[in-house]
Amino acid sequence: MAATRQDREWETNLTYWTQEEEKLYARWQAAYDAGGTQQLERLAKQGKKPARVLIRQLIDPNTEFLELSRGAGFGIGYDQAADVPGAGLVTGLGRVHGNWVMIIANDSRVKAGAYFPINCKKHLRAQDIADQCGIPCVYIADSAGAFLPLQDRIFPGRGGFGRFFYNMTRMSAKGLKQYTLSTGGNTAGGAYTVYLACESVMIDGMSYSFLGGPPMVKSAIGEDVTMEDLGGARVHTGISGGADHIVGSQDEGIAKLRELLSFEPRQSLSIQRRVAVPPILGSEHIYKMLPKDIYRGINVREVIKAIADGSEFSEYKHDYAPGRGDSIVCGRMHLKGLPVGIVASNGIGVIFVEAARKSIEWVIRCCTEKIPLLYIQNSPGYMIGTQEEYAGIGKYGSGMVRAAACARVPKIQWVIGPDHGAANYGMCGRAYDPHFIFNTMRGRTSVMSGRNAGTILTTLERANARRQGKEMDEEAARDFEQMMIEKYSAEAHPFHLEARLYHDGTIPFREARETLAAAFEVSLLKPIPETHFGNFKF
């Protein structure tokens, strides 16, 4: 039987997105291989294993580690380092004795684990997630401390090095335990990761913790002392009391962490979960039906069915305002047994008044019923023009913003297409504190598309030239427009965004169901509070 036009198009889409995701896997591999074989050999000589190997030993057998922001730090462009692979940290969520924990591990293969500004941002983001979700933190610490040439961007600010320890103390005060395994040096402020932990483990002959190392001691007070005698494991477990447990190797240290974590109270969900059912439509369906042209319209219901239990989706107001109301699709599904409310951009994604009104209603209902929200973002923005302004697009668009900001149920944003302008706000972008944001290779986040930016900025350049009594050269205008298109398109790319931690990871379509379900599970460990929206304008 001859292939239909749709069959051919779907195969083209499948091939395209599969190839795009190969770039994602290559980016991950660059983070995994930071420093190459030379750094692995260096660790081996010290009796050390890479951070991800230690994490695999720590978490329960046959469970997954949900690693976050593997693409952080690439192409940042510090004068001293164009790339800081993975931001020199491994962060993510894993189960230990059945409980979820946040793991923050220094990758000492990257600049000896020193903290650049992006490292600080990644560390703080992991702590924020742990705090928001109400789970303990485990630190696998091996860091040279702040990267001194950039100290003015690391040391003094609220988003810098010192905030780590503020967060540790505040979470500990809330009952969210902080555990540290020191696997190397922890100097100056980094020493507080050992001292402030609820329980800390040091390795004999491998771990060191001190406010000033031997060279600084010699310089400051003229004392000659070895690292071991100044701040080794025996000093802090036997003399200063700054650490709690001494072990003989990294393997013993991981075993001790598992022992300590075995006393954590058993976690439970704040919402009822039913038995999970696989989707009838699999992830391959997403690859096929999402056009490679990011700005082409989609039927988002097909995406939802590919991740929903049994491919079942109960839609809210399906027939409301045909052609306008369905530019956002709302409804319920189960995701690996968890009930989830959906707010999803549909078609070409432009949000009309009717769709905005519907989504506000739906968010309020989900908050009233304490159902978590998944925002599936594929919108270039709100509809503009006289008709829409008179109908209240500003009022109802801002209502979506208020709903996203005030909703106290767990919220996750999943970007599968355009993510521009105020639609980023109304669909719960980073500024609205969703528990997680996950991007895809199809996602594009910026104030506007490259094409629109090129047109608008070129128009402004022409106007500026005319004010000076000149006419812009047409070839120069085309070059300028193309330059702006390329600039905005590059800055909207998920790799650019993840490198700067504007989302929590770019995920393949085939991993979306598992990743989103795990993120919702962690987000539902705390009781859901009541939501108060303030004064809506209806």
Side-chain angles (χ1 to χ4, degrees), residues 9-10 12-14 16-17 20 285-300 303 347 378 416-418 441-443 509:
E9 184 177 325
W10 280 21
T12 298
N13 293 340
L14 173 63
Y16 180 79
W17 293 120
E20 283 292 288
H285 187 65
I286 303 178
Y287 289 85
K288 289 180 175 179
M289 56 79 52
L290 285 179
K292 64 179 186 178
D293 179 355
I294 292 161
Y295 295 95
R296 186 173 161 190
I298 66 169
N299 182 354
V300 78
V303 177
N378 177 62
I416 64 167
M441 290 302 287
R442 195 173 185 271
F509 293 125

PDB file of all heavy atoms in Angstrom, residues 9-10 12-14 16-17 20 285-300 303 347 378 416-418 441-443 509:
ATOM      1  N   GLU A   9       5.241  12.640   5.770  1.00  0.00           N
ATOM      2  CA  GLU A   9       5.574  13.769   6.630  1.00  0.00           C
ATOM      3  C   GLU A   9       5.960  13.298   8.031  1.00  0.00           C
ATOM      4  O   GLU A   9       6.923  13.791   8.625  1.00  0.00           O
ATOM      5  CB  GLU A   9       4.382  14.727   6.726  1.00  0.00           C
ATOM      6  CG  GLU A   9       4.687  15.978   7.525  1.00  0.00           C
ATOM      7  CD  GLU A   9       3.512  16.951   7.537  1.00  0.00           C
ATOM      8  OE1 GLU A   9       2.805  17.049   6.528  1.00  0.00           O
ATOM      9  OE2 GLU A   9       3.324  17.604   8.578  1.00  0.00           O
ATOM     10  N   TRP A  10       5.229  12.329   8.539  1.00  0.00           N
ATOM     11  CA  TRP A  10       5.516  11.817   9.880  1.00  0.00           C
ATOM     12  C   TRP A  10       6.886  11.141   9.928  1.00  0.00           C
ATOM     13  O   TRP A  10       7.610  11.266  10.908  1.00  0.00           O
ATOM     14  CB  TRP A  10       4.410  10.869  10.333  1.00  0.00           C
ATOM     15  CG  TRP A  10       3.188  11.603  10.847  1.00  0.00           C
ATOM     16  CD1 TRP A  10       2.849  12.897  10.581  1.00  0.00           C
ATOM     17  CD2 TRP A  10       2.180  11.084  11.704  1.00  0.00           C
ATOM     18  NE1 TRP A  10       1.678  13.220  11.213  1.00  0.00           N
ATOM     19  CE2 TRP A  10       1.233  12.128  11.911  1.00  0.00           C
ATOM     20  CE3 TRP A  10       1.954   9.851  12.301  1.00  0.00           C
ATOM     21  CZ2 TRP A  10       0.107  11.958  12.711  1.00  0.00           C
ATOM     22  CZ3 TRP A  10       0.823   9.667  13.097  1.00  0.00           C
ATOM     23  CH2 TRP A  10      -0.084  10.715  13.296  1.00  0.00           C
ATOM     24  N   THR A  12       9.394  11.930   8.054  1.00  0.00           N
ATOM     25  CA  THR A  12      10.350  13.038   7.991  1.00  0.00           C
ATOM     26  C   THR A  12      10.535  13.661   9.383  1.00  0.00           C
ATOM     27  O   THR A  12      11.662  13.932   9.817  1.00  0.00           O
ATOM     28  CB  THR A  12       9.860  14.113   7.006  1.00  0.00           C
ATOM     29  OG1 THR A  12       9.781  13.546   5.698  1.00  0.00           O
ATOM     30  CG2 THR A  12      10.811  15.302   6.968  1.00  0.00           C
ATOM     31  N   ASN A  13       9.417  13.887  10.069  1.00  0.00           N
ATOM     32  CA  ASN A  13       9.484  14.452  11.418  1.00  0.00           C
ATOM     33  C   ASN A  13      10.250  13.530  12.366  1.00  0.00           C
ATOM     34  O   ASN A  13      11.093  13.989  13.154  1.00  0.00           O
ATOM     35  CB  ASN A  13       8.074  14.686  11.971  1.00  0.00           C
ATOM     36  CG  ASN A  13       7.321  15.771  11.232  1.00  0.00           C
ATOM     37  OD1 ASN A  13       7.915  16.614  10.555  1.00  0.00           O
ATOM     38  ND2 ASN A  13       6.005  15.753  11.328  1.00  0.00           N
ATOM     39  N   LEU A  14       9.949  12.242  12.298  1.00  0.00           N
ATOM     40  CA  LEU A  14      10.608  11.267  13.168  1.00  0.00           C
ATOM     41  C   LEU A  14      12.116  11.295  12.964  1.00  0.00           C
ATOM     42  O   LEU A  14      12.896  11.341  13.926  1.00  0.00           O
ATOM     43  CB  LEU A  14      10.058   9.868  12.886  1.00  0.00           C
ATOM     44  CG  LEU A  14      10.751   8.696  13.589  1.00  0.00           C
ATOM     45  CD1 LEU A  14      10.618   8.804  15.099  1.00  0.00           C
ATOM     46  CD2 LEU A  14      10.179   7.362  13.097  1.00  0.00           C
ATOM     47  N   TYR A  16      13.902  13.740  11.684  1.00  0.00           N
ATOM     48  CA  TYR A  16      14.449  15.038  12.072  1.00  0.00           C
ATOM     49  C   TYR A  16      14.641  15.132  13.581  1.00  0.00           C
ATOM     50  O   TYR A  16      15.723  15.510  14.051  1.00  0.00           O
ATOM     51  CB  TYR A  16      13.513  16.158  11.589  1.00  0.00           C
ATOM     52  CG  TYR A  16      14.015  17.529  11.944  1.00  0.00           C
ATOM     53  CD1 TYR A  16      15.021  18.136  11.198  1.00  0.00           C
ATOM     54  CD2 TYR A  16      13.493  18.223  13.037  1.00  0.00           C
ATOM     55  CE1 TYR A  16      15.492  19.408  11.526  1.00  0.00           C
ATOM     56  CE2 TYR A  16      13.955  19.493  13.371  1.00  0.00           C
ATOM     57  CZ  TYR A  16      14.952  20.071  12.617  1.00  0.00           C
ATOM     58  OH  TYR A  16      15.423  21.322  12.955  1.00  0.00           O
ATOM     59  N   TRP A  17      13.609  14.799  14.369  1.00  0.00           N
ATOM     60  CA  TRP A  17      13.720  14.954  15.820  1.00  0.00           C
ATOM     61  C   TRP A  17      14.668  13.930  16.424  1.00  0.00           C
ATOM     62  O   TRP A  17      15.349  14.222  17.421  1.00  0.00           O
ATOM     63  CB  TRP A  17      12.335  14.891  16.482  1.00  0.00           C
ATOM     64  CG  TRP A  17      11.499  16.076  16.110  1.00  0.00           C
ATOM     65  CD1 TRP A  17      10.303  16.074  15.468  1.00  0.00           C
ATOM     66  CD2 TRP A  17      11.823  17.456  16.319  1.00  0.00           C
ATOM     67  NE1 TRP A  17       9.855  17.351  15.263  1.00  0.00           N
ATOM     68  CE2 TRP A  17      10.765  18.221  15.784  1.00  0.00           C
ATOM     69  CE3 TRP A  17      12.892  18.111  16.915  1.00  0.00           C
ATOM     70  CZ2 TRP A  17      10.766  19.607  15.822  1.00  0.00           C
ATOM     71  CZ3 TRP A  17      12.890  19.498  16.952  1.00  0.00           C
ATOM     72  CH2 TRP A  17      11.830  20.232  16.418  1.00  0.00           C
ATOM     73  N   GLU A  20      17.988  15.525  15.866  1.00  0.00           N
ATOM     74  CA  GLU A  20      18.165  16.646  16.779  1.00  0.00           C
ATOM     75  C   GLU A  20      18.532  16.156  18.177  1.00  0.00           C
ATOM     76  O   GLU A  20      19.386  16.744  18.850  1.00  0.00           O
ATOM     77  CB  GLU A  20      16.881  17.484  16.848  1.00  0.00           C
ATOM     78  CG  GLU A  20      16.660  18.395  15.657  1.00  0.00           C
ATOM     79  CD  GLU A  20      17.691  19.513  15.609  1.00  0.00           C
ATOM     80  OE1 GLU A  20      17.613  20.428  16.441  1.00  0.00           O
ATOM     81  OE2 GLU A  20      18.585  19.452  14.740  1.00  0.00           O
ATOM     82  N   HIS A 285       4.941   8.494  18.738  1.00  0.00           N
ATOM     83  CA  HIS A 285       3.867   9.314  18.161  1.00  0.00           C
ATOM     84  C   HIS A 285       4.207  10.801  18.262  1.00  0.00           C
ATOM     85  O   HIS A 285       3.884  11.576  17.356  1.00  0.00           O
ATOM     86  CB  HIS A 285       2.554   9.008  18.882  1.00  0.00           C
ATOM     87  CG  HIS A 285       1.356   9.651  18.270  1.00  0.00           C
ATOM     88  ND1 HIS A 285       0.901   9.328  17.000  1.00  0.00           N
ATOM     89  CD2 HIS A 285       0.507  10.610  18.736  1.00  0.00           C
ATOM     90  CE1 HIS A 285      -0.173  10.050  16.723  1.00  0.00           C
ATOM     91  NE2 HIS A 285      -0.424  10.839  17.751  1.00  0.00           N
ATOM     92  N   ILE A 286       4.861  11.201  19.353  1.00  0.00           N
ATOM     93  CA  ILE A 286       5.239  12.615  19.506  1.00  0.00           C
ATOM     94  C   ILE A 286       6.250  13.000  18.435  1.00  0.00           C
ATOM     95  O   ILE A 286       6.143  14.068  17.814  1.00  0.00           O
ATOM     96  CB  ILE A 286       5.835  12.874  20.904  1.00  0.00           C
ATOM     97  CG1 ILE A 286       4.852  12.454  21.993  1.00  0.00           C
ATOM     98  CG2 ILE A 286       6.195  14.350  21.060  1.00  0.00           C
ATOM     99  CD1 ILE A 286       5.388  12.625  23.414  1.00  0.00           C
ATOM    100  N   TYR A 287       7.248  12.148  18.211  1.00  0.00           N
ATOM    101  CA  TYR A 287       8.262  12.426  17.199  1.00  0.00           C
ATOM    102  C   TYR A 287       7.634  12.608  15.819  1.00  0.00           C
ATOM    103  O   TYR A 287       8.078  13.436  15.026  1.00  0.00           O
ATOM    104  CB  TYR A 287       9.267  11.278  17.124  1.00  0.00           C
ATOM    105  CG  TYR A 287      10.202  11.171  18.302  1.00  0.00           C
ATOM    106  CD1 TYR A 287       9.828  10.490  19.445  1.00  0.00           C
ATOM    107  CD2 TYR A 287      11.464  11.748  18.256  1.00  0.00           C
ATOM    108  CE1 TYR A 287      10.684  10.384  20.527  1.00  0.00           C
ATOM    109  CE2 TYR A 287      12.336  11.644  19.329  1.00  0.00           C
ATOM    110  CZ  TYR A 287      11.938  10.963  20.466  1.00  0.00           C
ATOM    111  OH  TYR A 287      12.791  10.855  21.536  1.00  0.00           O
ATOM    112  N   LYS A 288       6.599  11.832  15.546  1.00  0.00           N
ATOM    113  CA  LYS A 288       5.999  11.853  14.206  1.00  0.00           C
ATOM    114  C   LYS A 288       5.095  13.061  13.989  1.00  0.00           C
ATOM    115  O   LYS A 288       5.117  13.673  12.918  1.00  0.00           O
ATOM    116  CB  LYS A 288       5.213  10.569  13.979  1.00  0.00           C
ATOM    117  CG  LYS A 288       6.077   9.332  13.812  1.00  0.00           C
ATOM    118  CD  LYS A 288       5.225   8.091  13.579  1.00  0.00           C
ATOM    119  CE  LYS A 288       6.079   6.867  13.297  1.00  0.00           C
ATOM    120  NZ  LYS A 288       5.261   5.658  13.088  1.00  0.00           N
ATOM    121  N   MET A 289       4.293  13.398  15.012  1.00  0.00           N
ATOM    122  CA  MET A 289       3.258  14.404  14.749  1.00  0.00           C
ATOM    123  C   MET A 289       3.692  15.838  15.035  1.00  0.00           C
ATOM    124  O   MET A 289       2.976  16.777  14.716  1.00  0.00           O
ATOM    125  CB  MET A 289       1.966  14.068  15.500  1.00  0.00           C
ATOM    126  CG  MET A 289       2.071  13.906  16.998  1.00  0.00           C
ATOM    127  SD  MET A 289       2.140  15.439  17.955  1.00  0.00           S
ATOM    128  CE  MET A 289       0.710  16.286  17.330  1.00  0.00           C
ATOM    129  N   LEU A 290       4.877  16.025  15.650  1.00  0.00           N
ATOM    130  CA  LEU A 290       5.366  17.389  15.861  1.00  0.00           C
ATOM    131  C   LEU A 290       6.175  17.842  14.645  1.00  0.00           C
ATOM    132  O   LEU A 290       7.223  17.265  14.348  1.00  0.00           O
ATOM    133  CB  LEU A 290       6.237  17.462  17.114  1.00  0.00           C
ATOM    134  CG  LEU A 290       5.499  17.422  18.458  1.00  0.00           C
ATOM    135  CD1 LEU A 290       6.494  17.475  19.609  1.00  0.00           C
ATOM    136  CD2 LEU A 290       4.475  18.535  18.578  1.00  0.00           C
ATOM    137  N   PRO A 291       5.715  18.856  13.930  1.00  0.00           N
ATOM    138  CA  PRO A 291       6.423  19.305  12.722  1.00  0.00           C
ATOM    139  C   PRO A 291       7.807  19.839  13.052  1.00  0.00           C
ATOM    140  O   PRO A 291       8.024  20.437  14.113  1.00  0.00           O
ATOM    141  CB  PRO A 291       5.526  20.426  12.175  1.00  0.00           C
ATOM    142  CG  PRO A 291       4.219  20.281  12.871  1.00  0.00           C
ATOM    143  CD  PRO A 291       4.503  19.648  14.190  1.00  0.00           C
ATOM    144  N   LYS A 292       8.728  19.655  12.124  1.00  0.00           N
ATOM    145  CA  LYS A 292      10.064  20.205  12.347  1.00  0.00           C
ATOM    146  C   LYS A 292      10.063  21.726  12.232  1.00  0.00           C
ATOM    147  O   LYS A 292      10.952  22.392  12.780  1.00  0.00           O
ATOM    148  CB  LYS A 292      11.081  19.583  11.400  1.00  0.00           C
ATOM    149  CG  LYS A 292      10.882  19.853   9.926  1.00  0.00           C
ATOM    150  CD  LYS A 292      11.992  19.174   9.127  1.00  0.00           C
ATOM    151  CE  LYS A 292      11.934  19.533   7.662  1.00  0.00           C
ATOM    152  NZ  LYS A 292      13.038  18.901   6.893  1.00  0.00           N
ATOM    153  N   ASP A 293       9.073  22.288  11.541  1.00  0.00           N
ATOM    154  CA  ASP A 293       8.868  23.741  11.555  1.00  0.00           C
ATOM    155  C   ASP A 293       8.244  24.098  12.899  1.00  0.00           C
ATOM    156  O   ASP A 293       7.080  23.786  13.175  1.00  0.00           O
ATOM    157  CB  ASP A 293       7.950  24.159  10.409  1.00  0.00           C
ATOM    158  CG  ASP A 293       7.674  25.670  10.398  1.00  0.00           C
ATOM    159  OD1 ASP A 293       8.122  26.371  11.344  1.00  0.00           O
ATOM    160  OD2 ASP A 293       7.008  26.137   9.463  1.00  0.00           O
ATOM    161  N   ILE A 294       9.001  24.754  13.738  1.00  0.00           N
ATOM    162  CA  ILE A 294       8.583  25.023  15.115  1.00  0.00           C
ATOM    163  C   ILE A 294       7.345  25.913  15.176  1.00  0.00           C
ATOM    164  O   ILE A 294       6.566  25.831  16.128  1.00  0.00           O
ATOM    165  CB  ILE A 294       9.765  25.655  15.882  1.00  0.00           C
ATOM    166  CG1 ILE A 294      10.866  24.614  16.060  1.00  0.00           C
ATOM    167  CG2 ILE A 294       9.345  26.217  17.229  1.00  0.00           C
ATOM    168  CD1 ILE A 294      12.216  25.196  16.375  1.00  0.00           C
ATOM    169  N   TYR A 295       7.148  26.730  14.168  1.00  0.00           N
ATOM    170  CA  TYR A 295       6.034  27.682  14.188  1.00  0.00           C
ATOM    171  C   TYR A 295       4.811  27.192  13.419  1.00  0.00           C
ATOM    172  O   TYR A 295       3.862  27.940  13.215  1.00  0.00           O
ATOM    173  CB  TYR A 295       6.512  29.038  13.665  1.00  0.00           C
ATOM    174  CG  TYR A 295       7.535  29.629  14.605  1.00  0.00           C
ATOM    175  CD1 TYR A 295       8.895  29.453  14.386  1.00  0.00           C
ATOM    176  CD2 TYR A 295       7.133  30.300  15.760  1.00  0.00           C
ATOM    177  CE1 TYR A 295       9.832  29.964  15.277  1.00  0.00           C
ATOM    178  CE2 TYR A 295       8.055  30.805  16.654  1.00  0.00           C
ATOM    179  CZ  TYR A 295       9.403  30.630  16.411  1.00  0.00           C
ATOM    180  OH  TYR A 295      10.333  31.120  17.312  1.00  0.00           O
ATOM    181  N   ARG A 296       4.823  25.936  13.048  1.00  0.00           N
ATOM    182  CA  ARG A 296       3.654  25.350  12.399  1.00  0.00           C
ATOM    183  C   ARG A 296       2.701  24.820  13.465  1.00  0.00           C
ATOM    184  O   ARG A 296       3.125  24.346  14.518  1.00  0.00           O
ATOM    185  CB  ARG A 296       4.095  24.216  11.485  1.00  0.00           C
ATOM    186  CG  ARG A 296       2.970  23.622  10.657  1.00  0.00           C
ATOM    187  CD  ARG A 296       3.526  22.637   9.665  1.00  0.00           C
ATOM    188  NE  ARG A 296       2.499  21.750   9.175  1.00  0.00           N
ATOM    189  CZ  ARG A 296       2.721  20.675   8.455  1.00  0.00           C
ATOM    190  NH1 ARG A 296       3.970  20.359   8.133  1.00  0.00           N
ATOM    191  NH2 ARG A 296       1.746  19.904   8.052  1.00  0.00           N
ATOM    192  N   GLY A 297       1.403  24.877  13.198  1.00  0.00           N
ATOM    193  CA  GLY A 297       0.406  24.466  14.179  1.00  0.00           C
ATOM    194  C   GLY A 297       0.452  22.982  14.496  1.00  0.00           C
ATOM    195  O   GLY A 297       0.852  22.158  13.668  1.00  0.00           O
ATOM    196  N   ILE A 298       0.033  22.641  15.717  1.00  0.00           N
ATOM    197  CA  ILE A 298      -0.004  21.241  16.146  1.00  0.00           C
ATOM    198  C   ILE A 298      -1.354  20.950  16.795  1.00  0.00           C
ATOM    199  O   ILE A 298      -2.081  21.861  17.202  1.00  0.00           O
ATOM    200  CB  ILE A 298       1.112  20.929  17.159  1.00  0.00           C
ATOM    201  CG1 ILE A 298       0.880  21.689  18.480  1.00  0.00           C
ATOM    202  CG2 ILE A 298       2.482  21.234  16.584  1.00  0.00           C
ATOM    203  CD1 ILE A 298       1.775  21.236  19.620  1.00  0.00           C
ATOM    204  N   ASN A 299      -1.667  19.658  16.899  1.00  0.00           N
ATOM    205  CA  ASN A 299      -2.811  19.207  17.690  1.00  0.00           C
ATOM    206  C   ASN A 299      -2.247  18.679  19.009  1.00  0.00           C
ATOM    207  O   ASN A 299      -1.780  17.543  19.086  1.00  0.00           O
ATOM    208  CB  ASN A 299      -3.589  18.115  16.965  1.00  0.00           C
ATOM    209  CG  ASN A 299      -4.820  17.665  17.754  1.00  0.00           C
ATOM    210  OD1 ASN A 299      -5.038  18.095  18.892  1.00  0.00           O
ATOM    211  ND2 ASN A 299      -5.613  16.789  17.155  1.00  0.00           N
ATOM    212  N   VAL A 300      -2.255  19.517  20.034  1.00  0.00           N
ATOM    213  CA  VAL A 300      -1.588  19.164  21.285  1.00  0.00           C
ATOM    214  C   VAL A 300      -2.275  18.000  21.990  1.00  0.00           C
ATOM    215  O   VAL A 300      -1.670  17.320  22.830  1.00  0.00           O
ATOM    216  CB  VAL A 300      -1.490  20.398  22.208  1.00  0.00           C
ATOM    217  CG1 VAL A 300      -2.820  20.676  22.911  1.00  0.00           C
ATOM    218  CG2 VAL A 300      -0.365  20.223  23.230  1.00  0.00           C
ATOM    219  N   VAL A 303      -0.229  14.973  21.612  1.00  0.00           N
ATOM    220  CA  VAL A 303       0.926  14.937  22.513  1.00  0.00           C
ATOM    221  C   VAL A 303       0.495  14.443  23.886  1.00  0.00           C
ATOM    222  O   VAL A 303       1.151  13.598  24.505  1.00  0.00           O
ATOM    223  CB  VAL A 303       1.585  16.325  22.619  1.00  0.00           C
ATOM    224  CG1 VAL A 303       2.739  16.309  23.623  1.00  0.00           C
ATOM    225  CG2 VAL A 303       2.076  16.800  21.255  1.00  0.00           C
ATOM    226  N   GLY A 347      -2.784  24.364  18.356  1.00  0.00           N
ATOM    227  CA  GLY A 347      -2.772  25.002  17.047  1.00  0.00           C
ATOM    228  C   GLY A 347      -1.456  25.727  16.830  1.00  0.00           C
ATOM    229  O   GLY A 347      -0.387  25.210  17.137  1.00  0.00           O
ATOM    230  N   ASN A 378       3.570  25.967  24.032  1.00  0.00           N
ATOM    231  CA  ASN A 378       3.807  25.977  22.587  1.00  0.00           C
ATOM    232  C   ASN A 378       3.196  27.244  22.007  1.00  0.00           C
ATOM    233  O   ASN A 378       2.515  27.229  20.998  1.00  0.00           O
ATOM    234  CB  ASN A 378       3.171  24.726  21.949  1.00  0.00           C
ATOM    235  CG  ASN A 378       3.304  24.699  20.440  1.00  0.00           C
ATOM    236  OD1 ASN A 378       4.398  24.663  19.895  1.00  0.00           O
ATOM    237  ND2 ASN A 378       2.174  24.734  19.737  1.00  0.00           N
ATOM    238  N   ILE A 416       7.447  22.609  24.417  1.00  0.00           N
ATOM    239  CA  ILE A 416       7.535  21.751  23.224  1.00  0.00           C
ATOM    240  C   ILE A 416       7.496  22.564  21.932  1.00  0.00           C
ATOM    241  O   ILE A 416       7.355  21.997  20.842  1.00  0.00           O
ATOM    242  CB  ILE A 416       6.419  20.690  23.208  1.00  0.00           C
ATOM    243  CG1 ILE A 416       5.040  21.349  23.099  1.00  0.00           C
ATOM    244  CG2 ILE A 416       6.498  19.793  24.430  1.00  0.00           C
ATOM    245  CD1 ILE A 416       3.912  20.376  22.774  1.00  0.00           C
ATOM    246  N   GLY A 417       7.615  23.880  22.026  1.00  0.00           N
ATOM    247  CA  GLY A 417       7.551  24.721  20.833  1.00  0.00           C
ATOM    248  C   GLY A 417       7.880  26.155  21.177  1.00  0.00           C
ATOM    249  O   GLY A 417       8.648  26.432  22.098  1.00  0.00           O
ATOM    250  N   PRO A 418       7.288  27.120  20.472  1.00  0.00           N
ATOM    251  CA  PRO A 418       7.544  28.536  20.761  1.00  0.00           C
ATOM    252  C   PRO A 418       7.169  28.891  22.193  1.00  0.00           C
ATOM    253  O   PRO A 418       6.184  28.381  22.735  1.00  0.00           O
ATOM    254  CB  PRO A 418       6.634  29.265  19.759  1.00  0.00           C
ATOM    255  CG  PRO A 418       6.339  28.275  18.697  1.00  0.00           C
ATOM    256  CD  PRO A 418       6.348  26.937  19.350  1.00  0.00           C
ATOM    257  N   MET A 441      14.048  19.643  22.362  1.00  0.00           N
ATOM    258  CA  MET A 441      14.806  20.177  21.237  1.00  0.00           C
ATOM    259  C   MET A 441      13.932  21.036  20.319  1.00  0.00           C
ATOM    260  O   MET A 441      14.445  21.760  19.473  1.00  0.00           O
ATOM    261  CB  MET A 441      15.459  19.043  20.450  1.00  0.00           C
ATOM    262  CG  MET A 441      16.588  18.353  21.199  1.00  0.00           C
ATOM    263  SD  MET A 441      17.928  19.476  21.685  1.00  0.00           S
ATOM    264  CE  MET A 441      18.718  19.777  20.102  1.00  0.00           C
ATOM    265  N   ARG A 442      12.634  20.999  20.503  1.00  0.00           N
ATOM    266  CA  ARG A 442      11.729  21.830  19.712  1.00  0.00           C
ATOM    267  C   ARG A 442      11.417  23.157  20.403  1.00  0.00           C
ATOM    268  O   ARG A 442      10.861  24.070  19.797  1.00  0.00           O
ATOM    269  CB  ARG A 442      10.429  21.063  19.441  1.00  0.00           C
ATOM    270  CG  ARG A 442       9.552  21.656  18.342  1.00  0.00           C
ATOM    271  CD  ARG A 442       8.369  20.763  18.012  1.00  0.00           C
ATOM    272  NE  ARG A 442       7.615  21.298  16.889  1.00  0.00           N
ATOM    273  CZ  ARG A 442       6.607  22.154  16.983  1.00  0.00           C
ATOM    274  NH1 ARG A 442       6.222  22.581  18.175  1.00  0.00           N
ATOM    275  NH2 ARG A 442       5.977  22.594  15.911  1.00  0.00           N
ATOM    276  N   GLY A 443      11.740  23.275  21.672  1.00  0.00           N
ATOM    277  CA  GLY A 443      11.408  24.476  22.430  1.00  0.00           C
ATOM    278  C   GLY A 443      12.262  25.676  22.031  1.00  0.00           C
ATOM    279  O   GLY A 443      13.436  25.543  21.702  1.00  0.00           O
ATOM    280  N   PHE A 509      11.944  13.434  23.834  1.00  0.00           N
ATOM    281  CA  PHE A 509      10.507  13.134  23.876  1.00  0.00           C
ATOM    282  C   PHE A 509      10.253  11.756  24.474  1.00  0.00           C
ATOM    283  O   PHE A 509       9.277  11.558  25.204  1.00  0.00           O
ATOM    284  CB  PHE A 509       9.907  13.216  22.467  1.00  0.00           C
ATOM    285  CG  PHE A 509       9.899  14.609  21.883  1.00  0.00           C
ATOM    286  CD1 PHE A 509      10.491  14.862  20.657  1.00  0.00           C
ATOM    287  CD2 PHE A 509       9.302  15.654  22.560  1.00  0.00           C
ATOM    288  CE1 PHE A 509      10.485  16.139  20.109  1.00  0.00           C
ATOM    289  CE2 PHE A 509       9.291  16.944  22.028  1.00  0.00           C
ATOM    290  CZ  PHE A 509       9.883  17.175  20.793  1.00  0.00           C
TER     291      PHE A 509
END
